[in-house]
């Protein structure tokens, strides 16, 4: 089971509480803003403390849609709802997202999921939990439409499931939630913006020159990371090719960082510096994970949360390392692979620390797929799938 939880208040802080559950467009947009990514093929659960939502900070949790079709699906739903109860939530809302909610889905598949999966969710919430957990709204979105599912009065054959007529989904940029982000100065990149920025980096992987960094190297990965972030910003700002002034120098800065994080000790030190960011102390490198599990005073800075500048830079560097695994000469591909592995492990732990267990689980799945014999993957999977919770919890 992979789950993904987050406070409804984005990392940058806004005081917004995600409670627009009567409008599927706003519900989907608020979740996207909170989790700093577009929900795709997933179940979204929103828990809060009552109709007003002012008793506790609302919490969003997501889980892969595939879990709703597994043999243990009812146990899975029971666990998800129980997690919200354990955090003080007393009621909530849910949404099943097919694709990203907007892409074309076969109508019969939408109908099957609407009836079967939403029904299981409603019945689980209403009858299988030891404590009641009312769901004020249950939506299924796909094909740019949303359908609301309700439990009707029981008839002779059991519970009746009522489905509303389809309601058109507005584009993300047209929602009040997105407009509110812009109004308060927090511009949320659209998916197209991200793809365009990634496209500008296509020439980078093949332009790198990776060199083996010695195990005893005294370089500071934090300094190299700062230089690489600056280089990425310049490389993403325009479609500069290998002949453009500064391109080679910026690629050298990216290559220096990737060469360093290919060494376990150095990518672990960079992770520790991510943990140190914004905290008053320096975390013990030997007990980093143990401290994050038992000491709630260690809290992630907004820059290392999903959507933050450090987190996004690590994600971009990971994609560059992935490309370098096939684009570079064979002698350098091993270094690129080790850099990709180190950055993947860092993003797993940062996602986990941000209570984004599903995101971390996806990274682990990639690690296991590429390296079936990995000794690191089982540990990371245990953290994200069980899940083992970080000691801190999002609050106002």
């Amino acid at each position: 089971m992979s789950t993904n939880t987050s406070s409804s208040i984005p990392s940058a802080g806004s005081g917004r509480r995600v409670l627009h559950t009567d409008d599927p467009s706003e519900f989907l947009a608020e979740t996207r803003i909170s989790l700093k990514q577009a929900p795709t093929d997933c179940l979204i659960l929103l828990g809060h403390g009552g109709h007003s939502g002012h008793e506790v900070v609302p919490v969003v949790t997501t889980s892969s849609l595939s879990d709703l079709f597994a043999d243990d699906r009812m146990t899975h739903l029971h666990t998800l709802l129980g997690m919200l109860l354990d955090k003080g939530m007393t009621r909530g809302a849910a949404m099943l997202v097919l694709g990203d909610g907007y892409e074309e889905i076969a109508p019969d598949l939408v109908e099957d999921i609407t009836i079967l999966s939403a029904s299981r969710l409603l019945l689980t919430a209403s009858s299988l939990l030891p404590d009641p957990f009312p769901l004020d709204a249950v939506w299924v979105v796909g094909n740019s439409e949303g359908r609301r599912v309700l439990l009707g009065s029981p008839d002779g054959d059991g519970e009746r499931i009522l489905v509303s007529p389809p309601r058109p989904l507005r584009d993300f940029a047209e929602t009040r939630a997105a407009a509110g982000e812009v109004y308060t100065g927090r511009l949320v990149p659209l998916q197209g913006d991200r793809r365009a920025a990634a496209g500008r980096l296509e020439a980078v992987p093949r332009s790198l020159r990776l060199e083996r960094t010695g195990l005893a190297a005294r370089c500071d990965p934090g300094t190299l990371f700062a230089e690489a972030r600056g280089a990425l910003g310049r490389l993403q700002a325009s479609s500069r090719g290998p002949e453009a002034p500064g391109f080679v120098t910026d690629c050298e800065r990216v290559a220096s960082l990737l060469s360093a994080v290919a060494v376990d000790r150095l990518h672990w030190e960079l992770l520790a510096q991510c943990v140190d960011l914004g905290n008053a102390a320096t975390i013990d490198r030997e007990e980093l994970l143990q401290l994050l599990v038992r000491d709630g005073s260690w809290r992630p800075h907004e820059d290392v949360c999903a959507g933050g500048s450090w987190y996004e830079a690590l994600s971009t560097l990971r994609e560059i390392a992935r490309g370098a695994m096939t684009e570079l000469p064979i002698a350098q591909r091993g270094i690129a692979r080790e850099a990709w592995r180190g950055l993947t492990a860092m993003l797993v732990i940062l996602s986990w620390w941000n209570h984004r267990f599903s995101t971390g689980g996806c990274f682990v799945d990639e690690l296991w797929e590429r390296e079936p014999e990995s000794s690191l993957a089982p540990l990371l999977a245990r953290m994200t799938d069980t899940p083992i919770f970080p000691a801190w919890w999002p609050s106002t």
Side-chain angles (χ1 to χ4, degrees):
M1 177 185 73
S2 295
T3 57
N4 187 28
T5 64
S6 167
S7 163
S8 67
I9 298 176
S11 303
S14 69
R16 183 204 303 109
R17 295 172 181 270
V18 184
L19 292 173
H20 300 105
T21 58
D22 288 332
D23 184 332
S25 302
E26 296 296 335
F27 190 175
L28 190 60
E30 291 280 11
T31 303
R32 175 172 174 171
I33 292 169
S34 287
L35 297 181
K36 304 296 191 300
Q37 62 187 31
T40 304
D41 285 326
C42 66
L43 163 67
I44 301 169
L45 282 173
L46 166 68
H48 59 94
H51 285 296
S52 65
H54 293 298
E55 292 85 347
V56 294
V57 176
V59 172
V60 174
T61 180
T62 69
S63 179
S64 172
L65 204 59
S66 62
D67 291 325
L68 298 184
F69 299 96
D71 292 339
D72 61 347
R73 54 185 173 265
M74 297 304 281
T75 301
H76 176 66
L77 288 173
H78 187 283
T79 300
L80 286 176
L81 294 165
M83 286 169 57
L84 295 179
L85 283 169
D86 290 344
K87 294 300 179 183
M89 311 295 119
T90 58
R91 62 190 311 117
M95 175 176 283
L96 286 81
V97 185
L98 311 185
D100 64 0
Y102 296 90
E103 63 190 81
E104 186 174 346
I105 303 291
D108 56 342
L109 178 60
V110 176
E111 183 176 352
D112 288 346
I113 292 178
T114 299
I115 297 300
L116 296 176
S117 298
S119 302
R120 294 187 188 115
L121 179 60
L122 284 164
L123 292 171
T124 300
S126 63
S127 63
L128 296 184
L129 289 172
D131 297 311
F133 192 83
L135 291 176
D136 301 320
V138 176
W139 292 93
V140 179
V141 296
N143 287 331
S144 297
E145 296 177 335
R147 292 171 174 81
R148 191 166 185 171
V149 183
L150 300 168
L151 281 179
S153 301
D155 57 21
D157 297 325
E159 299 287 349
R160 295 176 60 212
I161 303 300
L162 306 178
V163 182
S164 74
R167 181 172 175 175
L169 281 183
R170 302 190 305 283
D171 288 341
F172 173 73
E174 296 175 0
T175 62
R176 295 191 304 274
E181 291 295 286
V182 175
Y183 179 76
T184 53
R186 291 183 301 274
L187 181 60
V188 180
L190 303 180
Q191 292 297 95
D193 297 335
R194 291 179 182 271
R195 286 194 294 268
R200 298 183 188 116
L201 298 174
E202 287 182 354
V204 173
R206 70 179 70 98
S207 304
L208 300 177
R209 181 176 178 179
L210 302 183
E211 298 179 349
R212 184 69 62 182
T213 301
L215 296 178
R218 295 184 177 275
C219 62
D220 176 16
T223 299
L224 296 177
F225 183 44
E227 293 174 349
R229 291 200 310 277
L232 288 176
R234 291 185 292 273
L235 290 167
Q236 289 176 310
S238 62
S239 301
R240 292 190 301 157
E243 305 303 321
F247 180 87
V248 172
T249 301
D250 283 335
C251 285
E252 289 174 351
R253 292 189 173 101
V254 170
S256 295
L257 184 280
L258 293 181
S259 297
V261 296
V263 178
D264 287 350
R265 177 182 64 82
L266 294 177
H267 77 242
W268 189 258
E269 170 59 26
L270 181 56
L271 172 66
Q273 292 186 31
C274 289
V275 173
D276 290 343
L277 184 66
N279 286 289
T282 299
I283 198 163
D284 186 325
R285 273 51 175 163
E286 298 298 323
E287 289 192 289
L288 186 149
L289 289 180
Q290 296 92 320
L291 288 170
L292 295 185
V293 169
R294 68 172 184 254
D295 185 351
S297 67
W298 290 98
R299 292 172 171 254
H301 187 274
E302 62 186 49
D303 283 346
V304 299
C305 292
S309 61
W310 286 31
Y311 184 98
E312 291 300 308
L314 291 169
S315 299
T316 301
L317 288 163
R318 177 176 174 269
E319 291 307 309
I320 291 174
R322 185 203 301 274
M325 288 161 58
T326 57
E327 296 283 354
L328 290 182
I330 292 176
Q332 299 180 54
R333 291 180 187 177
I335 303 173
R337 185 186 188 99
E338 291 161 14
W340 178 86
R341 182 195 304 132
L343 290 164
T344 299
M346 288 182 62
L347 286 166
V348 170
I349 295 172
L350 290 177
S351 298
W352 165 83
W353 194 28
N354 281 274
H355 295 265
R356 287 170 168 80
F357 308 124
S358 179
T359 302
C362 290
F363 287 134
V364 175
D365 290 343
E366 286 188 59
L367 182 59
W368 235 322
E369 181 180 350
R370 286 184 175 271
E371 302 192 5
E373 305 303 320
S374 170
S375 59
L376 180 62
L379 168 64
L380 298 175
R382 182 165 177 262
M383 291 172 60
T384 59
D385 288 352
T386 306
I388 299 171
F389 286 97
W392 83 284
W393 183 252
S395 60
T396 52

